[in-house]
Amino acid sequence: MSANHSTIGIEEILKQFGIEAVNNGASTGANWIPTSGSMIESFSPVDGKLIASVKSATTNDYETVVKKAQEAFIPWRTMPAPKRGEIVRQLAERIRFYKEPLGQLVSYEMGKSLQEGLGEVQEMIDICDFAVGLSRQLYGLTMHSERPGHRMYEQYHPLGIVGIISAFNFPVAVWNWNTALAWVCGDVCIWKPSEKTPLTAIACQQITKEVFAANDVPEGVSGLIIGDGEIGKLMANDKRVPLISATGSTRMGISVGEAVGRRLGRSLLELGGNNAIIIAPSADLKMVIPGAVFGAVGTAGQRCTSTRRIIIHEEIYDKVKEALAKAYQQIKIGNPLDQNNHVGPLIDKDAVRMYEEALVKAVQEGGKIIVEGGVLTGAGYESGCYVQPAIVEAENHFQIVQHETFAPILYIMKYAGGVENAIALQNGVPQGLSSAIMTNNLKEAEAFLAASGSDCGIANVNIGTSGAEIGGAFGGEKETGGGRESGSDAWKVYMRRQTNTINYSDSLPLAQGIKFEL
């Protein structure tokens, strides 16, 4: 264990981003709106100190931001996509410039390790680079018409306003996953960040404002609304916002999906995960242990792709259990800005309470504690948000195992027989985000990736469940929501598809050979 603290110069970081003791919580991109809502105080889970406060946006502020976005969409959508891509390229350059302070702010406000905070900012840079190339590849299709003298093709057009509702655990990257693609597609964006991490959102808005001002981007292309769930409800029910991209709990996603569905809008949902790693008899333990441990304790178990379950073949169960328990004794917990530490705090005391309740429920259902958990106290842990990562022997059918707990609790269980039995256990939860198998058996690997294998949106072989590269589409099935963000052809969700038919002949033949003569 380690509770060493290091000086981070948070005051200087806040100054770089123009963050004051009290800030306004709404912006049209070019201007901050004087807001008068209730005060949101951002306390760091690292040391419990108040970083700064934000006055939340009101309904009137929301209206101002939406109207500016509507106005901005008209000229923005007509700008050639490669030119929009050039602006996103410049944004990547500014994010590179601010990588260190922004990564530190992410770490301090959210509580993830500095390496992960810097890694999250790198994801922003990477998705911008991806979007720059995409700006020249928004391809449609050309089809042969059944009518002579006709040509058919498909093309994609921007939707309009994209509403982004993001969670605290990735306070900057998820916003940029959406905006980088939406902007090159010709959309404008309004962001409602988590009220638990409002300052990182202000920092991102300031960086964007700097780049957009230099390129005369219309005011309203990048809107920001900081507030509670009521702001999210306004956005979800607003017919002027054709697409809502929401990241968070399944409960939140159901609420957003229902509201958007009632008005026949589109929703892109990235919700809960209950991710498992299958450990087959042929697995290389030198790869298994670090992959499983990082997956379970990285970001203090607060990733949607965090490893929640380990499904181990009975032949190697005791060996893997012993190795995991031994590895957990080496985990260093403390200030996440001290790079000697592996694990920082949970986001707040509500998260700590849920962690404690989950451990109690696991034991009540018959689980056996393998590595003790608990809240850490004493010097360096004054915020009350630091907890000990725990391992529990459990059964897949336990109610607590069936639900996602956003904390470093790892459930381990055994399977017998063939890999199909392990796959059935892995799939036997309501969520379907990320999954992995550790095996050197080609047949097992292919079975895991087959149609009858993993039912998750992400399926990995010989790497863990945690994290993903921006080049592939990110998202999951079942209660994870079915959305896809980031790479591949995820850009299509931000656009509307149009089929065009051009008649260049001197007659008007009808489809399907229909005759109509006057």
Side-chain angles (χ1 to χ4, degrees), residues 16-18 29 32 87 90-99 101-103 105 121 124 172 175-176 183 200-214 222:
Q16 283 190 55
F17 294 120
W32 289 92
I87 295 169
Q90 293 176 36
L91 179 62
E93 288 303 306
R94 293 314 288 166
I95 296 171
R96 284 185 175 91
F97 177 80
Y98 287 112
K99 179 177 177 178
L102 184 56
L105 182 59
V121 178
M124 299 173 72
V172 296
W175 165 74
N176 209 194
W183 284 333
T200 49
I202 291 174
C204 289
Q205 189 74 349
Q206 296 285 55
I207 296 170
T208 305
K209 177 182 176 181
E210 182 181 333
V211 174
F212 281 18
S222 177

Side-chain angles (χ1 to χ4, degrees), residues 15-348:
K15 186 177 178 181
Q16 283 190 55
F17 294 120
I19 298 172
E20 300 176 347
V22 178
N23 303 270
N24 291 310
S27 169
T28 58
N31 295 293
W32 289 92
I33 302 170
T35 49
S36 58
S38 59
M39 198 70 74
I40 297 173
E41 295 179 318
S42 181
F43 290 93
S44 172
V46 174
D47 53 22
K49 293 180 180 178
L50 176 64
I51 312 172
S53 300
V54 180
K55 290 183 289 184
S56 60
T58 64
T59 301
N60 288 337
D61 301 327
Y62 174 80
E63 283 298 316
T64 299
V65 173
V66 170
K67 287 176 182 176
K68 278 295 181 183
Q70 286 182 300
E71 294 170 7
F73 178 56
I74 295 170
W76 181 247
R77 67 185 175 184
T78 62
M79 180 184 291
K83 290 187 179 296
R84 296 192 296 258
E86 165 58 19
I87 295 169
V88 171
R89 185 196 67 78
Q90 293 176 36
L91 179 62
E93 288 303 306
R94 293 314 288 166
I95 296 171
R96 284 185 175 91
F97 177 80
Y98 287 112
K99 179 177 177 178
E100 189 74 25
L102 184 56
Q104 287 185 316
L105 182 59
V106 167
S107 181
Y108 189 61
E109 186 176 36
M110 184 267 152
K112 64 175 59 177
S113 72
L114 179 57
Q115 287 181 319
E116 291 180 81
L118 294 171
E120 182 173 347
V121 178
Q122 185 62 47
E123 280 192 44
M124 299 173 72
I125 296 166
D126 293 343
I127 195 64
C128 284
D129 288 348
F130 178 88
V132 173
L134 179 66
S135 69
R136 294 180 181 272
Q137 300 179 76
L138 301 174
Y139 297 135
L141 294 171
T142 300
M143 292 82 72
H144 288 279
S145 172
E146 66 184 47
R147 292 171 285 187
H150 285 60
R151 180 168 71 88
M152 292 178 63
Y153 69 95
E154 289 181 344
Q155 61 178 332
Y156 289 84
H157 295 302
L159 280 173
I161 300 174
V162 174
I164 302 165
I165 301 172
S166 63
F168 73 85
N169 60 328
F170 280 83
V172 296
V174 170
W175 165 74
N176 209 194
W177 279 8
N178 285 275
T179 54
L181 299 193
W183 284 333
V184 299
C185 288
D187 297 313
V188 298
C189 298
I190 299 174
W191 181 21
K192 186 234 170 277
S194 169
E195 57 267 40
K196 296 182 180 182
T197 50
L199 304 181
T200 49
I202 291 174
C204 289
Q205 189 74 349
Q206 296 285 55
I207 296 170
T208 305
K209 177 182 176 181
E210 182 181 333
V211 174
F212 281 18
N215 288 274
D216 296 320
V217 172
E219 181 181 5
V221 172
S222 177
L224 176 66
I225 298 281
I226 297 174
D228 59 17
E230 293 305 310
I231 293 293
K233 289 179 182 177
L234 282 175
M235 193 181 290
N237 285 284
D238 194 338
K239 290 184 177 181
R240 297 169 295 180
V241 184
L243 172 64
I244 298 291
S245 175
T247 303
S249 68
T250 297
R251 178 184 55 80
M252 179 277 291
I254 290 172
S255 176
V256 169
E258 287 178 347
V260 176
R262 277 194 302 270
R263 61 179 176 84
L264 299 180
R266 297 191 198 180
S267 55
L268 193 172
L269 301 176
E270 299 288 359
L271 311 176
N274 196 345
N275 316 295
I277 300 177
I278 296 170
I279 312 297
S282 65
D284 184 345
L285 294 191
K286 294 192 301 295
M287 297 170 65
V288 166
I289 301 306
V293 173
F294 174 74
V297 308
T299 325
Q302 296 173 116
R303 291 182 174 217
C304 52
T305 56
S306 289
T307 305
R308 309 288 177 201
R309 299 172 294 143
I310 301 283
I311 303 167
I312 310 165
H313 194 275
E314 61 180 1
E315 290 181 7
I316 57 170
Y317 181 80
D318 290 336
K319 185 177 182 180
V320 173
K321 180 174 72 172
E322 181 182 342
L324 284 170
K326 183 177 180 180
Y328 266 51
Q329 302 309 312
Q330 301 174 48
I331 295 171
K332 297 178 181 179
I333 306 166
N335 186 321
L337 287 129
D338 180 346
Q339 296 194 54
N340 292 314
N341 293 324
H342 302 112
V343 179
L346 292 174
I347 185 65
D348 55 26

Side-chain angles (χ1 to χ4, degrees), residues 487-509:
S488 186
D489 65 349
W491 62 271
K492 291 181 179 179
V493 76
Y494 302 96
M495 306 193 83
R496 59 182 176 88
R497 181 157 60 178
Q498 183 181 80
T499 300
N500 308 114
T501 305
I502 300 172
N503 179 1
Y504 59 89
S505 73
D506 296 324
S507 61
L508 187 64

